[in-house]
């Protein structure tokens, strides 16, 4: 089977184009994985409404819980010799 010069050039050009496309896809995939959070933020937003009453109530509840945990932890630190 004889391969003509035209077919050989076509094969080589096709292989080069496929290699360039493959490298481009790999680079694009790596960049998308690296910046996925930024891309999601720009496309979908943060998903939080910081000014809503529900968000403010959740923050206040979280702050109250943090204060309770802090107070209980302080009590445990003051129990010298009582706990094993």
């Amino acid at each position: 089977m004889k391969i003509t010069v035209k077919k050989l050039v076509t094969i080589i050009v096709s292989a080069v184009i496929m290699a360039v496309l493959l490298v481009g896809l790999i680079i694009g995939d790596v960049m998308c994985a690296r910046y996925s959070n930024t891309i999601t933020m720009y496309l979908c937003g943060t998903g939080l409404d910081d000014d809503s009453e529900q968000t403010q109530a959740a923050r206040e509840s979280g702050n109250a819980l943090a204060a309770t945990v802090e107070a209980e932890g302080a009590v445990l630190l003051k129990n010298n010799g009582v706990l094993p």
Side-chain angles (χ1 to χ4, degrees), residues 10-31:
T10 303
I11 291 171
I12 291 173
V13 169
S14 298
V16 169
I17 290 172
M18 285 190 289
V20 168
L21 288 174
L22 181 63
V23 168
L25 286 172
I26 291 171
I27 290 172
D29 184 50
V30 169
M31 295 303 288

Side-chain angles (χ1 to χ4, degrees), residues 1-83:
M1 182 170 147
K2 188 175 182 182
I3 297 178
T4 64
V5 175
K6 186 175 179 179
K7 285 185 180 182
L8 183 61
V9 169
T10 303
I11 291 171
I12 291 173
V13 169
S14 298
V16 169
I17 290 172
M18 285 190 289
V20 168
L21 288 174
L22 181 63
V23 168
L25 286 172
I26 291 171
I27 290 172
D29 184 50
V30 169
M31 295 303 288
C32 285
R34 169 73 170 92
Y35 296 107
S36 64
N37 292 334
T38 305
I39 293 168
T40 302
M41 185 181 72
Y42 282 126
L43 294 177
C44 301
T46 59
L48 295 175
D49 184 14
D50 291 337
D51 297 331
S52 72
E53 293 178 13
Q54 186 178 13
T55 303
Q56 291 176 358
R59 283 189 181 145
E60 291 172 4
S61 170
N63 289 338
L65 178 63
T68 303
V69 169
E70 180 183 4
E72 290 176 3
V75 169
L76 289 177
L77 289 175
K78 293 178 184 176
N79 286 330
N80 292 331
V82 176
L83 295 175

